[in-house]
Amino acid sequence: ERVEIIRDLRLGKFDVLIIKTAWEKLYPNKPMPFEVVSCSALETDDQAGVKTLCQYLETVLPSDLSIKIGIFDRDEAGTKFFNEKLTNHLFKKPQGEDYKRHQNGKAYAILLPTIVDDDNEYWDSENPCIEFLFSKKYLKAHNVEEKYR
């Protein structure tokens, strides 16, 4: 069964590129077995947010030919929408887990994991976004760290 990973691009237009590049680096000779797409309705709109992502996941039909996986940043907006806005009558969250499953089995929602930096300290664990999956050293070298402070 085909899988699509849908990203909310609210925090940065490079999220899809980051996921695709990571796959290419980790598995250089293996085709990606899933699609990575934005939840934006327009190709030029890089401001689609968690609200759009929630609405998209809630409307996935049992007849869809692929499983949809929505990835939420673990920032204030992403956590709030993941915990409070994905309707409980459609999505169930297993105890102690950071994902939810649509009752029809065709959609999942996950929160980015809590990040541990190079020094084994939590790296902004209350508000990490996909960019913080990179090492602290890389973020400092590319001036990304300052952008999120």
Side-chain angles (χ1 to χ4, degrees):
E1 193 165 16
R2 204 178 82 167
V3 173
E4 288 182 16
I5 296 181
I6 298 90
R7 269 299 285 154
D8 122 48
L9 294 183
R10 180 180 43 77
L11 291 180
K13 60 186 177 182
F14 298 109
D15 294 1
V16 171
L17 180 62
I18 288 170
I19 293 171
K20 287 181 176 182
T21 302
W23 180 270
E24 291 169 4
K25 300 280 184 192
L26 293 169
Y27 308 102
N29 299 317
K30 188 174 179 182
M32 191 181 295
F34 50 85
E35 238 180 298
V36 182
V37 295
S38 165
C39 67
S40 176
L42 303 171
E43 283 188 34
T44 57
D45 179 13
D46 64 355
Q47 297 301 311
V50 290
K51 181 178 179 181
T52 304
L53 181 57
C54 286
Q55 291 169 340
Y56 180 82
L57 292 174
E58 288 180 340
T59 59
V60 171
L61 300 174
S63 59
D64 279 2
L65 299 177
S66 62
I67 293 173
K68 315 296 188 198
I69 301 173
I71 302 174
F72 291 77
D73 285 335
R74 193 182 287 267
D75 61 4
E76 184 178 344
T79 302
K80 178 178 180 154
F81 272 80
F82 177 84
N83 288 326
E84 300 173 16
K85 303 298 183 184
L86 279 178
T87 56
N88 291 329
H89 73 278
L90 289 177
F91 280 86
K92 299 298 179 197
K93 181 179 177 284
Q95 183 75 23
E97 297 293 340
D98 284 339
Y99 74 90
K100 290 184 175 186
R101 179 184 180 274
H102 194 292
Q103 288 188 22
N104 70 20
K106 290 292 187 168
Y108 291 81
I110 64 171
L111 279 171
L112 284 176
T114 300
I115 310 303
V116 177
D117 76 9
D118 299 336
D119 302 318
N120 289 331
E121 296 173 10
Y122 287 107
W123 177 252
D124 199 20
S125 61
E126 292 300 313
N127 291 305
C129 54
I130 197 166
E131 287 81 1
F132 288 133
L133 292 174
F134 294 99
S135 71
K136 194 173 181 180
K137 181 179 175 181
Y138 179 89
L139 295 173
K140 282 183 178 182
H142 291 84
N143 295 321
V144 176
E145 179 187 29
E146 293 303 315
K147 178 180 173 184
Y148 292 96
R149 286 197 181 259

